Amino acid sequence: MDAQKFESDIAFAKENVYETLSNILTRKNYERITVNDIEFPFGNRKIKTNTLIEADGFRFNLCSTSQLGCYIIFSSAVPVVMDRKYEDYAKRISSFNEKRRTM
């Protein structure tokens, strides 16, 4: 795929995404989608790994993709805030899981 053409030609980009979706989705779901249904909410540009995204006030990072883009993996960029009692409890559970993995 020509990356510059993808960024500059919206028709080419939509067609390319449509073809990619046809390879990912099952025929039942794929038949409901047309090229005109495809939109680019972040503009016609690449979104790199570890990009910070905010949607409805929730911040998250794009961690990775897998299997030709079938799965997109995000991680929360919002820190966990909890009482000291629950923090100790979470540490004990984490420690238990680590010990179990190394067995």
Side-chain angles (χ1 to χ4, degrees), residues 80-92:
V80 175
V81 179
M82 63 177 77
D83 189 45
R84 179 69 179 174
K85 176 174 81 171
Y86 297 113
E87 184 179 342
D88 291 340
Y89 181 67
K91 283 182 183 179
R92 280 185 271 160

Side-chain angles (χ1 to χ4, degrees), residues 9-20:
D9 185 4
I10 192 77
F12 175 78
K14 284 186 173 189
E15 189 62 39
N16 185 274
V17 170
Y18 183 74
E19 289 175 19
T20 303

Side-chain angles (χ1 to χ4, degrees), residues 1 15-25 30 68-69:
M1 172 179 51
E15 189 62 39
N16 185 274
V17 170
Y18 183 74
E19 289 175 19
T20 303
L21 286 174
S22 70
N23 294 330
I24 294 172
L25 299 175
Y30 170 68
L68 299 173

